[in-house]
Amino acid sequence: MANLKIFLDARHVCIKTNESALKVAVSNLSKTAYIPLGISIKTTQWNADSCKVVQHPKRKSINDTISTTLSEYRVILSEISANYDLSTVPANELRDMLVDWKNSDKIRIDDNCVMSVFHRFMEHKTGRTKNLYQCTEKKIRAFWGKEADRLRFEQVNVEWLHRFNNYLAQTAPSANARSIHMRNFRAVFNFAIDNEITTNYPFRRFKIKSEPTRKRNFDVETLRAIFNADVLDPWMEKYRDLFKLTFMLIGINFVDLCNLSDVRNGRIEYVRAKTHKPYSIKLEPEIEEIIDKYRGDNHLLNYMDTYKDYRSFYMNTCTGLKAIRERIVEKDVANIDTLTTYWARHSWATIAASLDIPKETIAAALGHSSHTVTDIYIEFDYRKGIAKHSMPKRHDSNLYTLEEARMLLTHCFQNHHN
C-alpha cells in the first residue's frame, strides 16, 4: 500500500551549513523514493517522531509549509489511486506521477470538494443564517487562496483548523466571533459525513473556544424610563415604538417584525423566517395602539412600505436607537450604554424568567431549539423576588403556554410599573 511521510535525509549533510534536506518519502511495493521540499535543517532541529521542525527560528512557517505540501500530495495520491492500479507501480514511478500531477494542476474540482459541498449545504439556508455561512465561505477562500476550490475534506486536519483559527484572529480578536465561523465549518463537515462524502472529522480533537456573552437586558425600571421618555424628537418616536413592539411581541425577531402582514381574529400570526415555525400572539391593547399608529399599505407596519428590504431599514433603526440612547443619557433619563432591538428581545426573556415563566416557554417564544441559546439571553435573578406575589397561581405542573407567558408579563409590567 502506497504511503507518504516527511523524511529528513541525514545520509547527506552539507559541509558548509551542517544541514540535511527535508523530503517527502514515497513508499510503495517495499521501496521508497523521495521528493525534495527545498528545505534544509540541522538534524538537531528535526523530531522524527512527530515529523516536525523544532528549535528553529522559522519552525512555524516551515511546519506549515511541510504540512500543506504533504496534504496536497496525499490528495493527489488519492486521485492517482482512483485512476491507476498502484499494485504494479514502483515507488520511483509513483514519485514521478505525483510530481507531474502536482505540476500539471490535475487535482479535480468535483462535487466532493469542500467548497462544492459548502454550496449544497447553504442551499437549505435562508436570511441572516445564509449570510453568516456565506461570510464563513469567504473567510475560507481568503485563507486558502487560489486552491480553495480544490480543498478536500481529507486535507483538513486539527493543525489546519488551528492555522485557520489563527488567521481569523487577525481580523476577529473576539473568540465568539471566530467561533461562529468554526461552528459553521463544523456543520458543513457534519453534513458531508451524513451524506457519506467523507469520514474525516478533525473537530473531534479541536475545541471551539468561546467566551461568556455579555448580558443585554434592561430591568423593568429602565424599560419604563425608555418607554415613557418625553425628551425625544418626533422622528425618534417611531424607533422607540419599534423597540416597544419588539419587547411586547414576546421578543420578536427584527426581520419577522418587518414582515408582519395582517391581524386575524385579534391575533398576530406569522411564520418565523429563521425556523419556519408558526407563531400566534394575542393583540393586546398597547400593541394595537402602536400598530394603528403605523399601519401600512403593503405590510402591517408602514416601516417597510418605503424600503427595498429589511436590512436597509435595520441600519436606519440602529442609527435611530443610538440617537435615542444619546438623548436619554444627555437628559439624565436613564444611564444606558447601548440600545438595540436585541436588548428588547433579551429584556423580555430575562423579565419572563424573573416571573418564574419556565425556560421551556421562553425558549419556544424566542424560537430557540436549545436551552443553551436561551441561557445566553437570560440574566437569571436567583432571588426570584420581582413581582412574584402578583402572578396567578397554577395548580398543576404543566408548562405555561406562550399566551400565558405574554399575559403574565404584561400583567406584571402594567400593575407594578405604570
Side-chain angles (χ1 to χ4, degrees), residues 13 19-20 273 307 339 363 370-371 397 409:
V13 180
E19 293 179 338
S20 299
Y307 285 90
L339 184 65
S370 166
H371 291 172
S397 59
L409 192 50

Side-chain angles (χ1 to χ4, degrees), residues 25-39:
V26 182
S27 301
N28 198 37
L29 302 180
S30 302
K31 299 289 185 179
T32 302
Y34 302 95
I35 303 174
L37 291 176
I39 301 172

Side-chain angles (χ1 to χ4, degrees), residues 171-219:
T171 55
S174 166
N176 290 343
R178 299 195 299 274
S179 70
I180 293 174
H181 298 300
M182 302 308 292
R183 289 198 304 271
N184 287 349
F185 199 22
R186 182 177 64 187
V188 174
F189 261 87
N190 290 332
F191 176 80
I193 290 174
D194 290 344
N195 287 275
E196 300 181 349
I197 296 171
T198 186
T199 58
N200 181 39
Y201 193 66
F203 287 95
R204 188 175 293 107
R205 291 174 288 120
F206 178 84
K207 180 177 177 57
I208 299 177
K209 297 180 180 180
S210 60
E211 300 169 342
T213 303
R214 175 195 179 192
K215 299 302 181 183
R216 295 182 285 186
N217 61 275
F218 298 123
D219 58 28

Side-chain angles (χ1 to χ4, degrees), residues 18-73:
N18 198 31
E19 293 179 338
S20 299
L22 284 170
K23 301 177 180 180
V24 177
V26 182
S27 301
N28 198 37
L29 302 180
S30 302
K31 299 289 185 179
T32 302
Y34 302 95
I35 303 174
L37 291 176
I39 301 172
S40 296
I41 59 173
K42 298 176 181 179
T43 56
T44 56
Q45 296 171 331
W46 179 246
N47 186 318
D49 294 331
S50 62
C51 291
K52 289 183 179 294
V53 175
V54 296
Q55 298 178 357
H56 190 287
K58 297 182 178 180
R59 60 185 178 278
K60 185 181 183 302
S61 62
I62 295 176
N63 283 327
D64 286 348
T65 299
I66 62 179
S67 176
T68 299
T69 304
L70 185 60
S71 295
E72 290 175 352
Y73 275 122

Side-chain angles (χ1 to χ4, degrees), residues 44-232:
T44 56
Q45 296 171 331
W46 179 246
N47 186 318
D49 294 331
S50 62
C51 291
K52 289 183 179 294
V53 175
V54 296
Q55 298 178 357
H56 190 287
K58 297 182 178 180
R59 60 185 178 278
K60 185 181 183 302
S61 62
I62 295 176
N63 283 327
D64 286 348
T65 299
I66 62 179
S67 176
T68 299
T69 304
L70 185 60
S71 295
E72 290 175 352
Y73 275 122
R74 282 175 173 164
V75 171
I76 296 171
L77 179 61
S78 67
E79 296 284 346
I80 294 175
S81 300
N83 291 276
Y84 297 93
D85 179 10
L86 297 185
S87 64
T88 60
V89 179
N92 60 335
E93 291 185 18
L94 178 58
R95 172 200 59 199
D96 295 341
M97 292 173 68
L98 287 167
V99 174
D100 291 342
W101 200 284
K102 185 175 187 298
N103 292 338
S104 62
D105 199 26
K106 290 182 179 179
I107 304 177
R108 293 176 295 151
I109 302 175
D110 60 29
D111 289 341
N112 290 336
C113 286
V114 171
M115 290 297 112
S116 298
V117 177
F118 210 125
H119 277 278
R120 295 206 299 278
F121 177 76
M122 285 195 296
E123 289 176 357
H124 305 286
K125 306 299 178 183
T126 58
R128 175 62 175 162
T129 301
K130 187 170 185 176
N131 291 340
L132 289 173
Y133 277 99
Q134 289 172 335
C135 184
T136 300
E137 179 196 10
K138 290 179 182 179
K139 294 292 185 180
I140 295 173
R141 288 188 178 279
F143 169 64
W144 206 239
K146 63 180 182 180
E147 294 298 313
D149 282 320
R150 293 182 171 83
L151 177 65
R152 303 187 72 88
F153 287 97
E154 291 72 24
Q155 287 179 262
V156 182
N157 53 24
V158 175
E159 184 179 3
W160 193 102
L161 293 176
H162 279 297
R163 287 190 287 122
F164 180 49
N165 188 61
N166 292 338
Y167 169 79
L168 293 176
Q170 296 175 17
T171 55
S174 166
N176 290 343
R178 299 195 299 274
S179 70
I180 293 174
H181 298 300
M182 302 308 292
R183 289 198 304 271
N184 287 349
F185 199 22
R186 182 177 64 187
V188 174
F189 261 87
N190 290 332
F191 176 80
I193 290 174
D194 290 344
N195 287 275
E196 300 181 349
I197 296 171
T198 186
T199 58
N200 181 39
Y201 193 66
F203 287 95
R204 188 175 293 107
R205 291 174 288 120
F206 178 84
K207 180 177 177 57
I208 299 177
K209 297 180 180 180
S210 60
E211 300 169 342
T213 303
R214 175 195 179 192
K215 299 302 181 183
R216 295 182 285 186
N217 61 275
F218 298 123
D219 58 28
V220 176
E221 293 298 334
T222 302
L223 280 174
R224 243 185 100 201
I226 296 171
F227 284 10
N228 299 325
D230 58 1
V231 298
L232 304 183

